[in-house]
Amino acid sequence: MLLWMGIFFFLPLLMMLAVSFAGRGTYGGVEWTLSLTNYAHLADPMYLRIYGRSLALALATTTLCLLLGFPLAYSIARAPARRQGVWLLLVMIPFWTNFLVRTYAWMFILRTEGLMNTLLINLGVTTQPIELLYSDWAILIGLVYGYLPFMVLPLYAAMERLDLSVVEAAWDLYATGWSVFWRVILPLTKPGVIAGCILVFIPSLGAFITPDLLGGAKTMMVGNLIQHEYLVMRDWPLGSAISFALMALVLLGVMAYFKTDGRLDRFERGR
Amino acid sequence: MNRGRIWLLSASLVNLLFLYLPIAVLILFSFNASRLSATWQGFTFRWYLALVENQALLTAVHNSLLVAVVSTSIATILGVSAAVGMERLLGRRRRTVEVTLLLPLVIPEVMLGVALLLFFVMVKLPLSLLTVMIGHVVWNVPIVAVIVRARLQKLDPRLVEAALDLGATPWLAFLRVTLPLLTPAIIGAVLMAFTLSLDDFVVTFFTAGPGSTTLPLKVYSMVKSGVSPEINALSAILVLISMALIGLSLVLQRQRN
């Protein structure tokens, strides 16, 4: 197993790291010269805009998924055991459905002559079809739609373990709905919240299909940029450097997660 | 309290509507007689018939199944042995293996695809179904290992010890005691790996060569050339297949219990 992962996982990554310091040949090959040019290129304002958009979209996706997923996970966890299975199944079906299919569904709905525009015109909201597809909004909808199950499942796992008598005690002690939520439910389900956020944040930051299909040429994200540099511009060294920048962003997120997780453990042991 | 309940329930219903309405609309319009319009023009099975006659699509389905079967088998063998082997390691070494296993899961898929492409080109391995299979095994091994390991850690170590005390060799104890206890987890892992392999687009996109088009690649190229009722019909079939796979995993789990 280690041999397999060594050859087909770590070796490719190391080669990519090496290539990210090399130069680009005239015909798109790799020229073995040691330089930091590719990493200097990363600070190009055009690229910075793309990282900025990716980060903003990933954060917005995570927040929306949390806002939507939290009440759903909570009501699943509080439902009677028999019904919980049915609810979970309903969340699992989209989770197991092909991602391309789910993205295509939004193309079908949002396109100019699509369902949404037909509906809006028939309702008299607008006379001319609106351009809904190929925008940041379309990408955001697609990402939230795609990754919502990733948020609901860990949240549910955390809430299932939540001791309901604690919540009832808070009610009995005349806590208002808000303070029960902020001071009892949220702190107790924090590990699930963090896990869900990480699971949504990582894939949406590196998303490729969603911005490719629902976004336009002006709404690239990092994932598309890497693909563009590799397959269209044939500038492998620069593409590799961008990949490592993306990985650094992701690892920062994961490390932040483990750090808060560790603190949480200590906090619980302290009690 | 009651108002909170109603609020929660309606929020959940909005969620489910959001999750299912797009899929429902997609399936509904796969039966629409009109090719272009988003208004209902009558019922037809025409688009489904067109799929069956599409030779390129059938080849892609065949390729996808082949890749999924081969890569799932390899990933299962490697993943299960990794999970079992890990239990025997201690301290630092165990930690190293753990990180090795988790890294492919946190790394963005695009990056993995690109790194594999780079690797295959540099070692001059022509892009084909073989390279696609290798790519799928790379992220399916960790998935299998994580699922099997979770189960392994919950097993009672006394069971294996008892077998050893009764004169079983370690290998026999593994085959007769550990493996049967792990079976539900392994079945779950196999189904998961198989589904993920069947559905994977990103890694396949970078590691597939000419003539090794899989179903998701074919769907992608169809979608790229515009919305059409054939894609709706194909999507409806894919949704049904994923529902069938979940059903299968549920039935298998229930039998075990």
Side-chain angles (χ1 to χ4, degrees), chain A residues 65-218:
Chain A
C65 281
L66 186 60
L67 289 179
L68 281 168
F70 203 92
L72 178 61
Y74 189 72
S75 39
I76 296 177
R78 297 208 56 173
R82 265 190 71 85
R83 241 184 289 161
Q84 277 189 20
V86 180
W87 279 99
L88 273 182
L89 193 66
L90 286 173
V91 179
M92 286 300 278
I93 289 172
F95 181 73
W96 281 55
T97 302
N98 191 308
F99 199 86
L100 273 169
V101 166
R102 289 190 288 148
T103 310
Y104 170 73
W106 284 102
M107 275 179 83
F108 184 74
I109 293 170
L110 294 179
R111 73 196 166 118
T112 318
E113 56 283 349
L115 213 58
M116 189 66 97
N117 269 316
T118 313
L119 199 71
L120 288 179
I121 290 171
N122 284 344
L123 288 176
V125 179
T126 144
T127 46
Q128 285 294 312
I130 316 167
E131 180 84 42
L132 298 162
L133 205 57
Y134 311 125
S135 65
D136 284 347
W137 294 108
I139 300 179
L140 184 61
I141 294 176
L143 287 175
V144 172
Y145 186 67
Y147 298 126
L148 185 59
F150 285 69
M151 179 66 85
V152 176
L153 297 175
L155 276 179
Y156 164 76
M159 284 173 194
E160 200 201 5
R161 269 171 292 172
L162 178 72
D163 187 355
L164 281 182
S165 59
V166 179
V167 179
E168 272 157 28
W171 284 114
D172 287 347
L173 294 166
Y174 301 106
T176 59
W178 268 115
S179 62
V180 169
F181 172 73
W182 277 113
R183 298 174 65 176
V184 180
I185 298 175
L186 198 58
L188 284 175
T189 52
K190 205 170 158 193
V193 172
I194 296 172
C197 287
I198 294 278
L199 283 180
V200 172
F201 183 75
I202 292 177
S204 30
L205 190 62
F208 171 70
I209 298 175
T210 319
D212 188 59
L213 293 179
L214 300 179
K218 285 179 188 158

Side-chain angles (χ1 to χ4, degrees), chain A residues 15-92:
Chain A
M15 282 168 112
M16 197 166 158
L17 188 65
V19 167
S20 74
F21 291 108
R24 176 178 181 264
T26 330
Y27 301 107
V30 175
E31 220 158 68
W32 293 105
T33 47
L34 188 71
S35 77
L36 281 172
T37 340
N38 300 310
Y39 286 93
H41 264 305
L42 292 182
D44 191 299
M46 188 179 86
Y47 293 149
L48 285 180
R49 254 205 310 276
I50 296 179
Y51 312 141
R53 174 180 302 118
S54 305
L55 264 178
L57 277 172
L59 284 174
T61 305
T62 313
T63 316
L64 278 174
C65 281
L66 186 60
L67 289 179
L68 281 168
F70 203 92
L72 178 61
Y74 189 72
S75 39
I76 296 177
R78 297 208 56 173
R82 265 190 71 85
R83 241 184 289 161
Q84 277 189 20
V86 180
W87 279 99
L88 273 182
L89 193 66
L90 286 173
V91 179
M92 286 300 278

Side-chain angles (χ1 to χ4, degrees), chain B:
Chain B
M1 181 74 184
N2 235 342
R3 232 179 52 199
R5 258 281 157 77
I6 291 166
W7 185 81
L8 262 178
L9 199 68
S10 50
S12 309
L13 286 179
V14 168
N15 259 292
L16 285 185
L17 223 60
F18 175 62
L19 281 176
Y20 279 91
L21 210 57
I23 298 179
V25 165
L26 206 60
I27 296 177
L28 180 68
F29 275 86
S30 71
F31 298 109
N32 189 6
S34 160
R35 170 168 278 279
L36 291 170
S37 166
T39 48
W40 187 255
Q41 305 279 341
F43 186 87
T44 180
F45 267 124
R46 194 156 36 131
W47 315 120
Y48 287 88
L49 291 174
L51 287 181
V52 185
E53 283 160 12
N54 187 336
Q55 204 54 50
L57 189 70
L58 295 179
T59 315
V61 171
H62 176 256
N63 282 344
S64 268
L65 286 174
L66 190 66
V67 168
V69 168
V70 174
S71 70
T72 305
S73 319
I74 300 175
T76 308
I77 296 169
L78 289 174
V80 171
S81 50
V84 174
M86 236 156 113
E87 290 300 296
R88 309 233 167 105
L89 293 175
L90 291 170
R92 243 201 134 92
R93 280 182 144 176
R94 185 169 176 161
R95 189 87 202 129
T96 318
V97 181
E98 268 172 355
V99 173
T100 313
L101 275 178
L102 285 178
L103 210 55
L105 296 180
V106 295
I107 220 174
E109 240 194 314
V110 177
M111 188 170 176
L112 186 60
V114 169
L116 282 168
L117 170 66
L118 188 81
F119 172 75
F120 292 139
V121 169
M122 289 205 161
V123 297
K124 303 212 162 51
L125 191 62
L127 298 179
S128 61
L129 282 183
L130 178 72
T131 51
V132 174
M133 288 170 191
I134 293 175
H136 285 198
V137 172
V138 169
W139 47 252
N140 264 338
V141 168
I143 288 169
V144 172
V146 166
I147 297 176
V148 172
R149 195 158 174 252
R151 172 83 190 181
L152 200 58
Q153 282 174 333
K154 277 186 215 143
L155 288 188
D156 190 346
R158 282 175 298 183
L159 291 172
V160 175
E161 280 161 22
L164 293 174
D165 283 349
L166 293 167
T169 60
W171 178 241
L172 193 67
F174 173 75
L175 274 187
R176 291 280 185 81
V177 180
T178 315
L179 208 56
L181 288 171
L182 285 181
T183 309
I186 295 177
I187 291 174
V190 165
L191 279 170
M192 185 90 178
F194 189 79
T195 314
L196 287 174
S197 171
L198 218 52
D199 279 352
D200 177 73
F201 171 74
V202 178
V203 169
T204 317
F205 181 67
F206 288 102
T207 50
S212 51
T213 305
T214 63
L215 185 58
L217 291 187
K218 182 72 192 154
V219 174
Y220 176 76
S221 71
M222 285 168 83
V223 169
K224 264 290 187 187
S225 60
V227 168
S228 80
E230 281 100 342
I231 310 178
N232 285 37
L234 184 56
S235 305
I237 295 173
L238 289 175
V239 172
L240 271 182
I241 291 175
S242 47
M243 284 167 88
L245 278 172
I246 300 178
L248 186 67
S249 72
L250 283 182
V251 168
L252 287 173
Q253 270 171 26
R254 200 155 292 172
Q255 270 177 356
R256 285 281 146 194
N257 297 334

